[in-house]
Amino acid sequence: MLKRTFVKGLGLAAATMLLGGTALAQDAFKVGLILPMTGPSASTGRQIDAAVKLYMAQNGDTVAGKKIEVILKDDTGAADQTKRLAQDLIVNDKVNVVAGFGLTPLALAVAPLATQAKIPEIVMAAGTSIITEKSPYIVRSSFTTAQKAVPIAEWAAKNGMKKIVTMVTDYGPGIDAEASFKKAFTAAGGEVTAEIRTPLRNPEFAPFLQKVRDLKPDAMFLFTPSGLGAALMKQVAEREFDKAGIKVIATGDVTDDDQLNEMGDSVLGMVTTSQYSTAHPSPENKAFVAAFKKANPNLRPNFMAVGGYDGMHLIYEALKKTGGKTDGDSLVEAMKGMKWLSVRGPVSIDPETRDIIQNIYVAKVEKVDGELYNIEFATVPDVKDPVKAGK
Ligand code: PHB
């Protein structure tokens, strides 16, 4: 009798636990976060992971009655891994959203899976314009490289540069940077006298830089993805372009805040364009940088961190707006046209392209309290992706 009661009691407890488990699973909202946590783009992974954790620490982990659960996976920066991990997250973990994507090929590899599964793919890092056209479920919280290349071309033309050589990393965002720079610079009366492309993997910049020096343009325009800037700028310093009268300009991906301090004083005065600087002087950014540094003592946030932070904001706000409805169509619809004050400045999601519309700042490297920063000195407001705008 006693034994039977015990067994019955256990059965009930087990059943309650099971039910509880089911209820919990139903209330969970899962984000599959795929980032390069190791390999050449590990800084992108580290920055975005830290920003996602900070956003959740500041905003709680429950939204519209759902418990937000982030499942982090390391794709090492290899597209076949990204695809395999996304598949696994969608099929086995049943994630509601996939997010991250440190490089263009990684974002592209998952586009067909997002379409098939009808779940949002939040691109927090990659910057080739075409990405958002590859699935109606892609929403981008980062940038496009064309967004930054056009304002620096216009700035160069206005500041007396007439002949420029471009040197970019040979894949999607570099090719976009090269084409957009040339179009804008030519339209403003300048001339691109040579276009050089360097390999993405293990680049040896020296022979390319020597070629630029021999060509003697007024300036050299550079693009490399986040993580490669320090290696590039060391080799640029060795060639003493200033002594040859050749100015060096770039997108802010090169003078990346994550690596800027390693680049040395030779980058002082270098002008770049970016959607974000650690030194962006708004109260929102000051609070963000302070909290980020407190949580990650040896790290200062770069533009990748902000893409991750705003990507989480998009997910949280979309879920609030749908009142907890989790289907991909409702979430993407809720993200379209969303506007907020980011730590980078005012931003919105273009309802037509699902790209981010944002300010682009022209900045100059300066030393402040012994550290190098990109100090913004001019703003081009509300820049849309120029490629999709036909510019
Ligand atoms: C990209 O692969 O799209 C990419 C990565 C890092 C950048 C810019 C673009 O800084």
Side-chain angles (χ1 to χ4, degrees):
M1 183 70 207
L2 230 159
K3 194 173 163 209
R4 262 181 56 195
T5 313
F6 178 74
V7 170
K8 227 171 120 187
L10 186 77
L12 226 144
T16 312
M17 267 172 70
L18 258 172
L19 275 171
T22 314
L24 271 178
Q26 275 171 354
D27 286 334
F29 184 89
K30 294 186 187 175
V31 179
L33 182 63
I34 312 176
L35 292 169
M37 299 304 295
T38 54
S41 299
S43 73
T44 297
R46 189 173 63 227
Q47 288 275 349
I48 294 179
D49 178 37
V52 165
K53 290 197 167 97
L54 179 62
Y55 189 88
M56 294 183 74
Q58 291 174 331
N59 294 280
D61 63 0
T62 307
V63 182
K66 309 272 174 202
K67 183 144 170 43
I68 310 290
E69 190 186 315
V70 173
I71 307 172
L72 174 66
K73 300 281 180 189
D74 175 15
D75 65 9
T76 74
D80 56 334
Q81 291 291 320
T82 322
K83 192 169 181 184
R84 187 183 61 72
L85 292 166
Q87 191 110 44
D88 189 50
L89 285 163
I90 292 168
V91 174
N92 296 322
D93 294 296
K94 309 216 167 5
V95 294
N96 302 92
V97 172
V98 282
F101 313 108
L103 293 162
T104 288
L106 317 183
L108 291 176
V110 176
L113 302 180
T115 304
Q116 202 183 14
K118 298 184 188 297
I119 60 167
E121 175 181 343
I122 308 300
V123 175
M124 295 170 159
T128 304
S129 288
I130 205 165
I131 291 173
T132 47
E133 290 173 30
K134 294 297 181 186
S135 168
Y137 291 92
I138 295 180
V139 182
R140 177 154 37 197
S141 62
S142 52
F143 56 87
T144 72
T145 40
Q147 243 175 350
K148 307 186 241 197
V150 168
I152 191 74
E154 288 168 351
W155 182 86
K158 266 191 216 122
N159 285 273
M161 296 167 209
K162 300 221 157 33
K163 288 186 193 300
I164 288 186
V165 172
T166 60
M167 188 173 127
V168 303
T169 306
D170 190 7
Y171 78 122
I175 294 164
D176 275 2
E178 177 190 275
S180 305
F181 184 92
K182 185 178 191 172
K183 203 169 173 186
F185 192 57
T186 310
E191 189 190 345
V192 171
T193 56
E195 292 162 291
I196 296 171
R197 295 180 185 176
T198 59
L200 176 61
R201 295 282 171 231
N202 307 312
E204 177 48 65
F205 297 110
F208 300 108
L209 292 172
Q210 189 55 46
K211 189 171 169 206
V212 179
R213 220 172 179 285
D214 296 342
L215 288 164
K216 294 194 171 52
D218 299 323
M220 162 170 73
F221 163 70
L222 299 173
F223 166 80
T224 48
S226 182
L228 295 187
L232 170 63
M233 291 318 295
K234 258 175 217 144
Q235 295 191 29
V236 168
E238 283 164 15
R239 292 222 141 43
E240 299 183 309
F241 282 87
D242 48 340
K243 289 205 178 126
I246 302 169
K247 295 197 172 66
V248 182
I249 55 174
T251 66
D253 307 76
V254 174
T255 55
D256 181 348
D257 280 302
D258 188 85
Q259 295 192 324
L260 185 57
N261 264 323
E262 295 166 36
M263 295 184 198
D265 287 357
S266 66
V267 293
L268 281 170
M270 184 167 157
V271 174
T272 62
T273 41
S274 183
Q275 73 279 19
Y276 179 70
S277 162
T278 306
H280 181 63
S282 71
E284 296 78 23
N285 187 50
K286 282 182 180 155
F288 169 70
V289 172
F292 189 95
K293 283 184 166 173
K294 194 170 171 210
N296 308 274
N298 296 312
L299 204 58
R300 60 178 177 179
N302 71 355
F303 61 95
M304 290 302 188
V306 176
Y309 196 72
D310 283 340
M312 282 313 279
H313 182 80
L314 256 179
I315 294 169
Y316 272 49
E317 292 305 310
L319 202 48
K320 283 185 202 165
K321 219 166 137 185
T322 65
K325 267 179 84 182
T326 58
D327 65 284
D329 290 291
S330 301
L331 290 170
V332 169
E333 219 34 59
M335 290 178 193
K336 289 182 186 172
M338 199 176 270
K339 263 188 169 68
W340 69 102
L341 182 59
S342 164
V343 300
R344 62 183 118 173
V347 298
S348 65
I349 298 299
D350 187 334
E352 265 113 57
T353 65
R354 288 162 278 104
D355 266 318
I356 192 159
I357 302 174
Q358 58 191 337
N359 292 348
I360 297 296
Y361 305 97
V362 191
K364 186 184 276 182
V365 179
E366 289 178 22
K367 196 174 257 182
V368 182
D369 296 332
E371 285 193 48
L372 298 178
Y373 287 98
N374 296 295
I375 302 296
E376 297 162 354
F377 63 89
T379 304
V380 186
D382 304 328
V383 180
K384 284 190 179 195
D385 173 41
V387 174
K388 289 187 207 78
K391 282 193 191 149

